[in-house]
Amino acid sequence: MKALAVFPTRREVRLIDHPEPGVTAPTAVKLRMLEVGVCGTDREIVGFQYGTPPPGSEYLVLGHESLGEVIEVGAAVTRVKPGDLVVTMVRRPCPHPECLACSAGRQDFCYTGDFTERGIKGAHGFATELVVDDEKYMNVVPHQLREVAVLTEPLTIAEKAITQVWQVQQRLPWACPIGPSGEPGSCHRAVVLGAGPVGLLGAMALVNAGFETTVYSRASGLRDKATLVESFGARYAAAETTTLQQLAERVGNIDLVYEATGAARVSFEMMEVLGTNGVFIFTGVPGRKGPIELDANLIMRNLVLANQMVFGTVNANREAFEAAIRDLGTFVARWPEAVRGLITGRFPIEKATDVLLGEPGGIKNVITIS
Ligand SMILES: [Zn+2]
Ligand SMILES: [Zn+2]
Protein backbone atom coordinates (compact mmCIF):
# COMPACT_ATOMS: atom_id res chain seq x y z
CA MET A 1 0.00 0.00 0.00
CA LYS A 2 0.99 3.63 -0.48
CA ALA A 3 2.76 5.47 2.34
CA LEU A 4 4.58 8.76 2.65
CA ALA A 5 8.00 8.07 4.16
CA VAL A 6 11.16 9.86 5.18
CA PHE A 7 14.57 8.14 4.97
CA PRO A 8 16.75 10.13 7.41
CA THR A 9 20.10 8.50 6.56
CA ARG A 10 19.52 8.80 2.80
CA ARG A 11 17.91 12.24 3.18
CA GLU A 12 14.93 11.29 1.06
CA VAL A 13 11.18 11.90 1.29
CA ARG A 14 8.94 9.98 -1.05
CA LEU A 15 5.90 7.83 -1.60
CA ILE A 16 6.76 4.18 -0.95
CA ASP A 17 5.13 0.77 -0.99
CA HIS A 18 4.64 -0.19 2.66
CA PRO A 19 3.38 -3.59 3.92
CA GLU A 20 -0.29 -3.74 4.91
CA PRO A 21 -0.85 -4.17 8.66
CA GLY A 22 -3.08 -6.96 9.98
CA VAL A 23 -5.51 -7.17 12.90
CA THR A 24 -3.54 -9.61 15.04
CA ALA A 25 -4.55 -8.69 18.61
CA PRO A 26 -8.09 -9.02 19.98
CA THR A 27 -8.20 -5.29 20.83
CA ALA A 28 -6.70 -4.17 17.51
CA VAL A 29 -8.62 -2.02 15.04
CA LYS A 30 -7.93 -1.48 11.35
CA LEU A 31 -8.51 1.96 9.87
CA ARG A 32 -8.79 3.19 6.32
CA MET A 33 -7.01 6.52 6.55
CA LEU A 34 -8.93 9.49 5.18
CA GLU A 35 -6.80 12.53 5.93
CA VAL A 36 -3.56 13.58 7.58
CA GLY A 37 -2.76 17.16 8.60
CA VAL A 38 0.66 18.69 7.99
CA CYS A 39 2.36 20.81 10.68
CA GLY A 40 5.71 22.28 11.65
CA THR A 41 6.81 19.00 13.21
CA ASP A 42 6.38 17.24 9.84
CA ARG A 43 8.37 19.98 8.16
CA GLU A 44 11.17 19.49 10.69
CA ILE A 45 11.11 15.74 10.08
CA VAL A 46 11.40 16.16 6.31
CA GLY A 47 14.17 18.69 6.98
CA PHE A 48 15.95 15.83 8.85
CA GLN A 49 16.14 17.83 12.09
CA TYR A 50 13.81 15.49 13.90
CA GLY A 51 12.06 12.13 13.52
CA THR A 52 13.24 8.57 14.22
CA PRO A 53 12.25 5.46 12.25
CA PRO A 54 11.06 2.41 14.21
CA PRO A 55 13.89 0.05 15.27
CA GLY A 56 15.07 -1.97 12.27
CA SER A 57 13.40 0.28 9.68
CA GLU A 58 15.27 2.49 7.28
CA TYR A 59 12.31 4.85 7.00
CA LEU A 60 9.61 6.51 9.05
CA VAL A 61 6.07 6.75 7.71
CA LEU A 62 4.98 10.34 8.37
CA GLY A 63 1.73 11.75 9.72
CA HIS A 64 0.43 12.23 13.27
CA GLU A 65 -2.64 14.48 12.80
CA SER A 66 -5.14 12.05 11.37
CA LEU A 67 -8.67 10.99 10.62
CA GLY A 68 -9.56 7.40 9.76
CA GLU A 69 -12.57 5.15 9.29
CA VAL A 70 -12.84 1.84 11.13
CA ILE A 71 -13.01 -1.08 8.66
CA GLU A 72 -12.17 -4.10 10.84
CA VAL A 73 -12.11 -4.81 14.58
CA GLY A 74 -10.59 -7.55 16.75
CA ALA A 75 -12.82 -9.95 18.69
CA ALA A 76 -12.53 -8.06 22.00
CA VAL A 77 -13.03 -4.52 20.68
CA THR A 78 -15.86 -2.60 22.38
CA ARG A 79 -15.06 1.11 21.99
CA VAL A 80 -15.37 1.40 18.20
CA LYS A 81 -17.21 -0.36 15.36
CA PRO A 82 -16.82 -0.51 11.58
CA GLY A 83 -17.99 2.71 9.95
CA ASP A 84 -16.94 4.90 12.91
CA LEU A 85 -14.73 7.88 12.22
CA VAL A 86 -11.79 8.01 14.63
CA VAL A 87 -8.85 10.20 15.51
CA THR A 88 -5.97 8.16 16.89
CA MET A 89 -3.69 9.43 19.64
CA VAL A 90 -0.02 9.94 18.86
CA ARG A 91 2.11 9.01 21.87
CA ARG A 92 2.61 5.50 23.31
CA PRO A 93 3.94 4.81 26.81
CA CYS A 94 7.58 4.05 27.61
CA PRO A 95 8.42 0.48 28.70
CA HIS A 96 9.70 1.41 32.19
CA PRO A 97 7.44 0.27 35.04
CA GLU A 98 8.93 2.95 37.32
CA CYS A 99 7.60 5.74 35.06
CA LEU A 100 4.77 7.09 37.19
CA ALA A 101 3.20 8.93 34.26
CA CYS A 102 3.16 6.11 31.71
CA SER A 103 2.07 3.60 34.37
CA ALA A 104 -0.93 5.84 35.02
CA GLY A 105 -1.83 6.15 31.31
CA ARG A 106 -0.43 9.69 31.19
CA GLN A 107 2.37 9.15 28.67
CA ASP A 108 1.91 12.81 27.73
CA PHE A 109 3.86 13.43 30.99
CA CYS A 110 6.41 10.60 30.44
CA TYR A 111 9.43 11.00 32.73
CA THR A 112 11.97 8.87 30.86
CA GLY A 113 11.65 10.20 27.31
CA ASP A 114 11.54 6.62 26.01
CA PHE A 115 7.98 7.00 24.74
CA THR A 116 7.23 6.49 21.05
CA GLU A 117 5.09 8.75 18.88
CA ARG A 118 3.39 7.59 15.70
CA GLY A 119 4.79 9.47 12.72
CA ILE A 120 7.45 11.20 14.82
CA LYS A 121 9.55 8.99 17.08
CA GLY A 122 10.13 5.26 16.78
CA ALA A 123 6.74 4.31 15.29
CA HIS A 124 5.23 4.66 11.83
CA GLY A 125 2.63 7.37 11.33
CA PHE A 126 -0.72 7.69 9.63
CA ALA A 127 0.13 8.96 6.12
CA THR A 128 -0.68 5.60 4.57
CA GLU A 129 -3.73 3.75 3.34
CA LEU A 130 -4.33 1.36 6.26
CA VAL A 131 -3.39 1.63 9.92
CA VAL A 132 -3.80 -0.84 12.79
CA ASP A 133 -3.70 0.25 16.41
CA ASP A 134 -5.19 -0.62 19.77
CA GLU A 135 -8.71 0.62 20.37
CA LYS A 136 -7.62 2.36 23.56
CA TYR A 137 -5.79 5.00 21.50
CA MET A 138 -8.81 5.77 19.31
CA ASN A 139 -11.39 8.51 19.79
CA VAL A 140 -14.70 8.39 17.93
CA VAL A 141 -15.71 11.54 16.02
CA PRO A 142 -19.33 12.30 15.01
CA HIS A 143 -19.88 12.01 11.24
CA GLN A 144 -21.02 15.66 11.10
CA LEU A 145 -17.41 16.63 11.85
CA ARG A 146 -15.96 14.66 8.92
CA GLU A 147 -14.81 17.83 7.15
CA VAL A 148 -12.86 19.34 10.08
CA ALA A 149 -12.01 16.37 12.34
CA VAL A 150 -8.39 16.33 11.17
CA LEU A 151 -8.04 19.47 13.33
CA THR A 152 -8.69 17.43 16.48
CA GLU A 153 -5.04 16.60 17.22
CA PRO A 154 -3.73 20.19 16.93
CA LEU A 155 -6.67 21.36 19.07
CA THR A 156 -5.72 18.89 21.85
CA ILE A 157 -2.72 21.12 22.64
CA ALA A 158 -5.05 23.94 23.69
CA GLU A 159 -7.41 21.57 25.47
CA LYS A 160 -4.66 20.10 27.63
CA ALA A 161 -3.30 23.61 28.28
CA ILE A 162 -6.66 25.06 29.33
CA THR A 163 -7.34 22.10 31.65
CA GLN A 164 -4.01 22.81 33.34
CA VAL A 165 -4.79 26.53 33.56
CA TRP A 166 -7.87 25.77 35.64
CA GLN A 167 -5.82 23.38 37.78
CA VAL A 168 -2.88 25.70 38.47
CA GLN A 169 -5.06 28.77 38.94
CA GLN A 170 -6.82 27.02 41.80
CA ARG A 171 -3.86 28.45 43.70
CA LEU A 172 -5.89 31.70 44.03
CA PRO A 173 -9.45 32.97 43.69
CA TRP A 174 -9.55 33.04 39.88
CA ALA A 175 -12.78 31.32 38.86
CA CYS A 176 -15.20 33.84 37.36
CA PRO A 177 -18.71 34.27 38.72
CA ILE A 178 -20.73 32.07 36.38
CA GLY A 179 -23.03 34.29 34.36
CA PRO A 180 -26.01 33.31 32.20
CA SER A 181 -23.70 32.01 29.47
CA GLY A 182 -22.02 29.60 31.89
CA GLU A 183 -18.62 30.45 30.44
CA PRO A 184 -15.89 29.98 33.07
CA GLY A 185 -13.38 32.49 31.64
CA SER A 186 -15.80 35.39 31.21
CA CYS A 187 -13.98 37.74 33.62
CA HIS A 188 -10.49 37.13 32.16
CA ARG A 189 -8.43 38.46 29.28
CA ALA A 190 -6.29 36.19 27.18
CA VAL A 191 -3.64 36.88 24.57
CA VAL A 192 -2.73 34.29 21.96
CA LEU A 193 0.72 34.73 20.51
CA GLY A 194 0.77 33.49 16.91
CA ALA A 195 -1.92 32.91 14.30
CA GLY A 196 -0.96 29.53 12.89
CA PRO A 197 -3.29 26.55 13.33
CA VAL A 198 -2.28 25.96 16.98
CA GLY A 199 -2.78 29.63 17.84
CA LEU A 200 -6.08 30.00 16.01
CA LEU A 201 -7.51 26.79 17.45
CA GLY A 202 -6.31 27.90 20.90
CA ALA A 203 -7.99 31.28 20.38
CA MET A 204 -11.25 29.57 19.43
CA ALA A 205 -11.04 27.39 22.56
CA LEU A 206 -10.40 30.45 24.74
CA VAL A 207 -13.27 32.46 23.19
CA ASN A 208 -15.48 29.43 23.64
CA ALA A 209 -14.52 29.29 27.33
CA GLY A 210 -15.55 32.95 27.65
CA PHE A 211 -12.13 34.65 27.69
CA GLU A 212 -11.89 38.08 26.09
CA THR A 213 -9.24 37.00 23.59
CA THR A 214 -6.73 38.94 21.48
CA VAL A 215 -4.55 37.27 18.86
CA TYR A 216 -1.16 38.95 18.47
CA SER A 217 0.68 37.99 15.31
CA ARG A 218 2.69 39.07 12.36
CA ALA A 219 0.58 39.37 9.24
CA SER A 220 1.88 36.44 7.26
CA GLY A 221 0.18 34.29 4.65
CA LEU A 222 -2.25 35.30 1.97
CA ARG A 223 -5.39 35.18 4.01
CA ASP A 224 -6.65 38.12 5.96
CA LYS A 225 -6.05 36.85 9.49
CA ALA A 226 -7.72 39.82 11.16
CA THR A 227 -11.03 39.10 9.44
CA LEU A 228 -10.78 35.42 10.30
CA VAL A 229 -9.94 36.12 13.95
CA GLU A 230 -12.74 38.69 14.33
CA SER A 231 -15.22 36.29 12.73
CA PHE A 232 -15.04 34.03 15.78
CA GLY A 233 -15.20 36.79 18.36
CA ALA A 234 -11.54 37.44 19.12
CA ARG A 235 -9.61 40.65 18.50
CA TYR A 236 -6.59 40.89 16.30
CA ALA A 237 -3.46 42.95 16.97
CA ALA A 238 -0.81 43.08 14.26
CA ALA A 239 2.74 42.89 15.58
CA GLU A 240 3.93 45.24 12.83
CA THR A 241 1.79 48.11 14.09
CA THR A 242 1.24 47.30 17.79
CA THR A 243 4.04 47.16 20.34
CA LEU A 244 3.67 44.81 23.29
CA GLN A 245 3.26 47.85 25.57
CA GLN A 246 0.40 49.09 23.39
CA LEU A 247 -1.10 45.61 23.40
CA ALA A 248 -1.01 45.51 27.20
CA GLU A 249 -2.64 48.95 27.42
CA ARG A 250 -5.34 47.90 25.01
CA VAL A 251 -6.07 44.56 26.66
CA GLY A 252 -5.85 45.56 30.33
CA ASN A 253 -4.58 43.02 32.86
CA ILE A 254 -3.35 40.10 30.73
CA ASP A 255 -4.59 37.12 32.73
CA LEU A 256 -3.40 34.44 30.32
CA VAL A 257 -0.92 34.15 27.46
CA TYR A 258 -1.11 31.18 25.12
CA GLU A 259 2.14 31.07 23.18
CA ALA A 260 1.94 29.33 19.79
CA THR A 261 4.89 30.61 17.79
CA GLY A 262 8.00 28.76 18.96
CA ALA A 263 9.73 32.16 18.88
CA ALA A 264 11.64 32.75 22.11
CA ARG A 265 12.31 36.48 21.85
CA VAL A 266 8.76 37.71 21.36
CA SER A 267 7.55 35.17 23.92
CA PHE A 268 9.80 36.41 26.69
CA GLU A 269 9.05 40.02 25.73
CA MET A 270 5.37 39.13 26.03
CA MET A 271 6.10 37.70 29.47
CA GLU A 272 7.23 41.19 30.51
CA VAL A 273 3.62 42.44 30.06
CA LEU A 274 1.85 39.46 31.67
CA GLY A 275 -0.65 40.77 34.23
CA THR A 276 -1.10 40.30 37.95
CA ASN A 277 -1.79 36.65 38.88
CA GLY A 278 -1.34 35.84 35.19
CA VAL A 279 -0.50 32.47 33.70
CA PHE A 280 1.78 32.03 30.70
CA ILE A 281 1.64 28.83 28.65
CA PHE A 282 4.37 27.79 26.24
CA THR A 283 3.41 25.36 23.44
CA GLY A 284 6.01 26.18 20.77
CA VAL A 285 9.35 24.46 20.30
CA PRO A 286 12.05 26.88 19.17
CA GLY A 287 14.64 25.75 16.64
CA ARG A 288 18.21 25.32 17.79
CA LYS A 289 19.36 28.91 17.74
CA GLY A 290 21.87 30.91 19.71
CA PRO A 291 21.18 32.68 23.03
CA ILE A 292 19.06 35.83 23.10
CA GLU A 293 19.19 38.83 25.39
CA LEU A 294 16.21 39.43 27.63
CA ASP A 295 15.35 41.55 30.65
CA ALA A 296 15.59 38.74 33.16
CA ASN A 297 15.49 41.12 36.13
CA LEU A 298 12.15 42.55 35.02
CA ILE A 299 10.71 39.12 34.29
CA MET A 300 11.84 37.72 37.63
CA ARG A 301 10.56 40.76 39.51
CA ASN A 302 7.15 40.43 37.83
CA LEU A 303 6.97 36.70 38.44
CA VAL A 304 7.39 37.25 42.15
CA LEU A 305 5.61 40.54 42.76
CA ALA A 306 2.66 39.70 40.49
CA ASN A 307 2.29 36.04 41.56
CA GLN A 308 2.75 34.82 38.00
CA MET A 309 2.84 31.27 36.73
CA VAL A 310 4.65 29.89 33.66
CA PHE A 311 4.36 26.38 32.28
CA GLY A 312 5.07 24.42 29.13
CA THR A 313 2.84 21.71 27.74
CA VAL A 314 3.21 18.99 25.12
CA ASN A 315 1.13 16.15 23.72
CA ALA A 316 -2.28 15.23 25.11
CA ASN A 317 -4.20 12.58 27.01
CA ARG A 318 -7.52 10.97 26.18
CA GLU A 319 -9.55 13.63 28.01
CA ALA A 320 -7.94 16.33 25.87
CA PHE A 321 -8.89 14.42 22.69
CA GLU A 322 -12.46 14.04 23.94
CA ALA A 323 -12.62 17.74 24.83
CA ALA A 324 -11.21 18.66 21.41
CA ILE A 325 -13.87 16.62 19.61
CA ARG A 326 -16.60 18.19 21.77
CA ASP A 327 -15.25 21.70 21.21
CA LEU A 328 -14.86 21.19 17.45
CA GLY A 329 -18.57 20.39 17.39
CA THR A 330 -19.29 23.63 19.25
CA PHE A 331 -16.96 25.65 17.01
CA VAL A 332 -18.68 24.29 13.89
CA ALA A 333 -22.07 25.23 15.34
CA ARG A 334 -20.92 28.74 16.34
CA TRP A 335 -18.49 29.68 13.55
CA PRO A 336 -18.81 27.17 10.69
CA GLU A 337 -16.95 29.27 8.13
CA ALA A 338 -14.10 30.20 10.45
CA VAL A 339 -13.44 26.55 11.37
CA ARG A 340 -13.58 25.35 7.77
CA GLY A 341 -11.41 28.32 6.84
CA LEU A 342 -8.56 26.92 8.93
CA ILE A 343 -8.08 24.16 6.36
CA THR A 344 -6.71 26.09 3.42
CA GLY A 345 -5.52 23.27 1.20
CA ARG A 346 -6.22 19.58 0.52
CA PHE A 347 -3.72 17.64 -1.55
CA PRO A 348 -3.69 14.00 -2.69
CA ILE A 349 -0.96 11.88 -1.14
CA GLU A 350 0.81 11.80 -4.53
CA LYS A 351 1.38 15.56 -4.12
CA ALA A 352 2.35 15.34 -0.44
CA THR A 353 6.07 15.86 -0.93
CA ASP A 354 5.36 19.19 -2.67
CA VAL A 355 3.29 20.28 0.33
CA LEU A 356 5.95 19.19 2.80
CA LEU A 357 8.98 20.52 0.99
CA GLY A 358 7.46 23.56 -0.74
CA GLU A 359 5.94 26.75 0.59
CA PRO A 360 2.24 26.13 -0.04
CA GLY A 361 1.18 28.91 2.37
CA GLY A 362 -2.25 29.02 3.96
CA ILE A 363 -3.09 27.88 7.46
CA LYS A 364 -3.56 24.10 7.72
CA ASN A 365 -2.75 21.92 4.74
CA VAL A 366 -4.17 18.43 4.65
CA ILE A 367 -3.15 15.32 2.71
CA THR A 368 -6.10 13.29 1.49
CA ILE A 369 -5.51 9.55 1.35
CA SER A 370 -8.83 7.99 0.44
ZN1 LIG B 1 1.30 18.37 14.38
ZN1 LIG C 1 7.19 6.99 30.56
Side-chain angles (χ1 to χ4, degrees):
M1 61 176 184
K2 279 180 283 194
L4 179 64
V6 58
F7 293 75
T9 47
R10 286 202 252 155
R11 298 198 151 235
E12 265 176 36
V13 186
R14 58 183 166 89
L15 213 55
I16 59 160
D17 188 37
H18 181 64
E20 275 191 27
V23 173
T24 47
T27 54
V29 175
K30 187 184 275 190
L31 305 177
R32 180 172 71 93
M33 297 315 294
L34 303 173
E35 293 186 331
V36 168
V38 173
C39 76
T41 302
D42 299 302
R43 289 177 171 280
E44 282 180 19
I45 294 171
V46 301
F48 314 107
Q49 300 164 29
Y50 206 62
T52 319
S57 171
E58 202 190 352
Y59 59 84
L60 171 72
V61 175
L62 282 159
H64 59 275
E65 304 179 0
S66 74
L67 175 66
E69 183 190 348
V70 176
I71 56 168
E72 191 186 336
V73 297
V77 167
T78 57
R79 299 189 66 245
V80 303
K81 58 181 189 310
D84 281 350
L85 295 180
V86 299
V87 174
T88 305
M89 293 161 70
V90 178
R91 192 178 282 193
R92 304 291 173 266
C94 76
H96 308 292
E98 70 277 15
C99 179
L100 292 175
C102 289
S103 308
R106 287 305 302 266
Q107 52 268 23
D108 56 315
F109 280 105
C110 178
Y111 283 89
T112 67
D114 289 340
F115 55 81
T116 55
E117 287 176 335
R118 294 205 64 163
I120 303 173
K121 182 176 180 283
H124 287 310
F126 304 127
T128 181
E129 292 174 84
L130 301 168
V131 159
V132 169
D133 212 327
D134 195 283
E135 63 165 340
K136 70 178 171 215
Y137 300 121
M138 294 183 182
N139 303 281
V140 176
V141 179
H143 276 89
Q144 310 88 274
L145 298 181
R146 164 72 179 81
E147 215 186 324
V148 294
V150 71
L151 298 171
T152 300
E153 199 276 343
L155 177 56
T156 61
I157 301 166
E159 299 292 352
K160 180 179 167 184
I162 292 172
T163 299
Q164 292 173 89
V165 164
W166 290 111
Q167 290 167 344
V168 299
Q169 292 299 76
Q170 284 183 20
R171 69 200 171 107
L172 74 148
W174 204 71
C176 303
I178 294 290
S181 63
E183 292 169 332
S186 59
C187 63
H188 293 305
R189 296 157 184 148
V191 171
V192 173
L193 185 53
V198 172
L200 292 170
L201 286 164
M204 285 184 179
L206 288 163
V207 171
N208 196 46
F211 289 85
E212 187 185 302
T213 304
T214 304
V215 175
Y216 185 78
S217 162
R218 278 185 308 205
S220 55
L222 299 171
R223 206 188 156 91
D224 183 356
K225 293 241 168 104
T227 309
L228 175 68
V229 162
E230 282 155 16
S231 77
F232 62 85
R235 291 186 212 171
Y236 185 81
E240 288 87 348
T241 52
T242 315
T243 65
L244 289 168
Q245 276 309 329
Q246 289 167 333
L247 175 78
E249 280 158 30
R250 208 190 286 177
V251 170
N253 193 65
I254 299 177
D255 299 296
L256 185 157
V257 174
Y258 182 73
E259 178 279 322
T261 60
R265 181 183 300 277
V266 67
S267 299
F268 280 91
E269 285 170 359
M270 178 75 85
M271 205 181 281
E272 293 174 9
V273 298
L274 180 65
T276 301
N277 299 331
V279 57
F280 191 108
I281 307 136
F282 278 110
T283 76
V285 183
R288 293 187 185 92
K289 295 183 188 131
I292 57 162
E293 230 170 74
L294 58 95
D295 192 344
N297 286 308
L298 174 62
I299 291 171
M300 185 166 163
R301 191 180 320 128
N302 286 351
L303 278 166
V304 173
L305 295 180
N307 281 300
Q308 294 168 340
M309 171 82 203
V310 179
F311 70 86
T313 184
V314 70
N315 200 256
N317 62 335
R318 170 176 298 290
E319 281 67 36
F321 274 82
E322 288 170 350
I325 293 165
R326 245 189 341 264
D327 266 2
L328 263 185
T330 313
F331 298 173
V332 167
R334 290 184 72 175
W335 319 297
E337 286 186 20
V339 184
R340 284 190 215 112
L342 297 179
I343 298 176
T344 44
R346 282 189 157 89
F347 303 86
I349 191 166
E350 289 76 16
K351 290 252 162 38
T353 48
D354 302 347
V355 181
L356 281 161
L357 301 169
E359 287 290 335
I363 301 171
K364 174 62 75 183
N365 288 306
V366 170
I367 299 166
T368 53
I369 297 169
S370 54

